[in-house]
Amino acid sequence: DFLDEEHAPEVFAALPDALRFERAFAPASWTLPSMASLFTGELPTTLRDPGDGSLIALPDEAETLAERLAEQGFVTVGVVANYTVNQENGYAQGFDLYWVSGATGEEGVPDAERIVRRARAALDWLADEPLFLYLHFMDPHDPYRNHETGEVWVAPPTGQEPGESELRAMRTAYDSEVRHWSRHAAPLLEELGEGEALVVTSDHGEEFLEHGGMRHGPTVWPEVTRVPLLVAGEVVEELRGVDELEVRSLVGLTGLLDGRPEVFLADRPVTMETFAHAPARWGWVDGDRQWVLFARQAPLPDLDAIGRWLESNHPREVCETLDARRCDSQDLPEAGVDRLSEQYRGFRRGAWLTGTGEEETVTVEGADGPVLCWLGCSDLVSTEAGSWRAIANGPTVLFAGAPEPERVRVLVDGQALPWSETASVVDDARWRLEPDMGRPAPRLEGIEETLDRLEALGYIER
């Protein structure tokens, strides 16, 4: 909502023939999982640590866009203002040259002028080479810097509301950062737009109390997951005639940039997720409707202040149109249920229960890990050690974590379900109980400094 002709006139003048996709969504609502997905073309869930849901590092085995382009003969260069997208976290995989700022805080993070200056130096050094250039700007981003007045505003975390005048000043500073970026980036973008492909996008958006929160990360509402997407360069000719209002996911951008535009244009689930601060939240966009599901989890983990706020204020199941009008949250199409369960399969070891219940009691026994009920549970409580009970009402998606999935036992109204490749019928409801063998958790080493900085930025609490 801030990247348009009013707020960034220089950029739109520099890219007059760019395609502008107005319904583009990032796959996550904060930087590291979103960039991991953008770099690999994989949904964040397939890259996450199954132990706790975190995604702060790219696994070594993940193939990145830079690696694929290097194999095609490109010299690959990254210029990054955000320290957390760094080498030790794996984000430099495939880059010949990767410069990332070590600075944090209100004054130290490089602004657009400094990033453009370094980009031009790389262009001068490599003037005769086929080049893939990745620029990661930090304007706009919290803390918001008003370049006209010099004021710097640090946004409060979700759950703490600024006063009306402070909120207005923060939005003005955010606008100032967009304008500052546009002035400095536009001349460079005009030159790069004459190349094979140029993409301007973002890893997340920002909330200013639209749903009661601030910043980004804790939720997956459109204000934090709907992002700008401009495409320019020769690749535009291959995309002429496409619907720029069709919903798109940034997961497909790797295909657009490594010579496979059909990957970008493919019909794919447009989903978004976050594990930050509380049990997982998941969103799915279908047309102009977005469903957001907040998983119930037992036992409930120790929550930080933001997590407690989410538990108290975030709806469990909600449907909104993209202009924030409510729609029927009970009307989640079967395709949405399928996409939810498919996206998280392989994430952890355990058992999946999917089906349709009508006020039926579901009992889970033998779960050694967390039990999450994404959909259809009006309650989820512990009954005794290793046993959990939920009331299923309507479409239901439930996962029971267990190192040995075969030990999980599920009963519906007291009747045990068999492991099955086909649906089981219990009291006229159809259920599927399936094992999930999960995958090994990646080893993360040498990231203590990154964890410290993530904590300082408010992304994690240790």
Side-chain angles (χ1 to χ4, degrees):
D1 55 343
F2 275 79
L3 187 59
D4 56 22
E5 291 85 347
E6 175 188 352
H7 299 88
E10 298 89 353
V11 165
F12 282 87
L15 304 172
D17 298 322
L19 298 178
R20 180 182 180 186
F21 295 90
E22 297 186 10
R23 292 184 175 181
F25 284 82
S29 57
W30 65 288
T31 297
L32 295 186
S34 189
M35 289 307 307
S37 188
L38 193 150
F39 273 4
T40 63
E42 302 283 347
L43 289 170
T45 313
T46 66
L47 301 166
R48 289 187 181 279
D49 179 345
D52 61 8
S54 64
L55 177 49
I56 62 171
L58 268 180
D60 289 340
E61 63 271 18
E63 184 184 32
T64 67
L65 171 64
E67 288 175 311
R68 288 197 290 273
L69 290 173
E71 290 173 357
Q72 296 179 24
F74 286 86
V75 176
T76 54
V77 176
V79 181
V80 182
N82 187 329
Y83 168 81
T84 63
V85 190
N86 57 29
Q87 292 97 332
E88 58 261 44
N89 286 11
Y91 289 87
Q93 291 175 209
F95 283 96
D96 298 306
L97 173 64
Y98 197 83
W99 180 88
V100 58
S101 169
T104 59
E106 297 175 8
E107 302 300 328
V109 176
D111 70 345
E113 183 177 10
R114 290 171 64 188
I115 295 299
V116 167
R117 191 185 314 134
R118 285 190 174 271
R120 288 198 177 280
L123 290 169
D124 289 342
W125 297 336
L126 302 165
D128 298 324
E129 301 286 349
L131 181 66
F132 167 56
L133 182 63
Y134 158 57
L135 306 180
H136 192 123
F137 295 92
M138 279 286 275
D139 23 18
H141 198 283
D142 171 65
Y144 317 121
R145 181 179 290 105
N146 189 319
H147 290 271
E148 283 69 47
T149 67
E151 294 177 301
V152 178
W153 293 90
V154 178
T158 287
Q160 298 179 21
E161 294 190 12
E164 185 176 338
S165 61
E166 290 178 307
L167 182 66
R168 186 164 52 249
M170 288 178 193
R171 291 182 66 90
T172 299
Y174 188 90
D175 181 11
S176 174
E177 289 195 328
V178 174
R179 295 178 187 276
H180 179 79
W181 169 80
S182 178
R183 288 193 297 271
H184 289 285
L188 178 63
L189 294 178
E190 184 173 14
E191 297 172 27
L192 299 177
E194 298 176 359
E196 187 174 339
L198 170 68
V199 168
V200 178
T201 190
S202 181
D203 48 350
H204 58 76
E206 200 80 340
E207 184 176 1
F208 290 96
L209 295 184
E210 288 91 342
H211 283 88
M214 293 292 294
R215 294 181 170 179
H216 55 275
T219 71
V220 292
W221 301 116
E223 55 266 21
V224 292
T225 54
R226 191 174 177 181
V227 294
L229 178 57
L230 303 177
V231 178
E234 297 169 10
V235 73
V236 165
E237 293 305 316
E238 301 181 57
L239 301 178
R240 291 295 184 197
V242 303
D243 186 353
E244 294 174 65
L245 293 178
E246 186 177 341
V247 179
R248 302 284 177 191
S249 172
L250 298 191
V251 178
L253 276 183
T254 56
L256 188 64
L257 291 168
D258 70 9
R260 300 173 296 144
E262 67 278 3
V263 172
F264 173 71
L265 296 174
D267 179 24
R268 64 174 64 245
V270 178
T271 64
M272 54 289 306
E273 60 174 86
T274 184
F275 283 75
H277 303 288
R281 279 121 288 150
W282 178 83
W284 175 55
V285 176
D286 180 24
D288 69 341
R289 298 178 297 175
Q290 181 186 27
W291 281 268
V292 176
L293 307 181
F294 191 151
R296 292 170 176 82
Q297 180 173 327
L300 190 65
D302 293 333
L303 298 174
D304 59 20
I306 296 175
R308 292 192 293 272
W309 187 91
L310 290 168
E311 278 284 326
S312 301
N313 294 276
H314 196 299
R316 291 293 179 182
E317 302 167 15
V318 65
C319 177
E320 287 188 359
T321 60
L322 297 186
D323 59 6
R325 289 180 292 112
R326 286 293 177 96
C327 44
D328 189 353
S329 63
Q330 300 300 313
D331 189 31
L332 180 67
E334 186 174 341
V337 177
D338 292 342
R339 285 175 173 176
L340 167 63
S341 59
E342 288 171 7
Q343 183 163 339
Y344 287 89
R345 288 175 194 269
F347 177 50
R348 285 194 178 108
R349 293 175 70 89
W352 285 94
L353 177 69
T354 56
T356 302
E358 296 297 334
E359 295 294 340
E360 291 167 290
T361 301
V362 174
T363 303
V364 179
E365 300 175 348
D368 298 321
V371 175
L372 292 95
C373 191
W374 290 97
L375 187 66
C377 297
S378 57
D379 199 5
L380 178 63
V381 295
S382 171
T383 55
E384 57 186 71
S387 296
W388 316 95
R389 185 182 66 237
I391 306 299
N393 188 13
T396 301
V397 178
L398 183 146
F399 174 79
E404 300 179 60
E406 64 276 8
R407 294 195 176 187
V408 175
R409 188 166 178 256
V410 177
L411 300 90
V412 176
D413 280 349
Q415 184 173 341
L417 294 180
W419 296 103
S420 179
E421 295 297 326
T422 59
S424 301
V425 179
V426 178
D427 296 336
D428 297 323
R430 303 186 68 83
W431 298 95
R432 290 173 63 92
L433 178 62
E434 301 164 285
D436 190 336
M437 302 313 293
R439 65 177 186 273
R443 289 187 305 112
L444 304 180
E445 299 176 351
I447 60 169
E448 283 303 310
E449 186 175 1
T450 296
L451 292 174
D452 291 342
R453 296 192 183 220
L454 286 172
E455 187 171 31
L457 290 167
Y459 286 120
I460 63 173
E461 185 170 303
R462 295 191 290 169

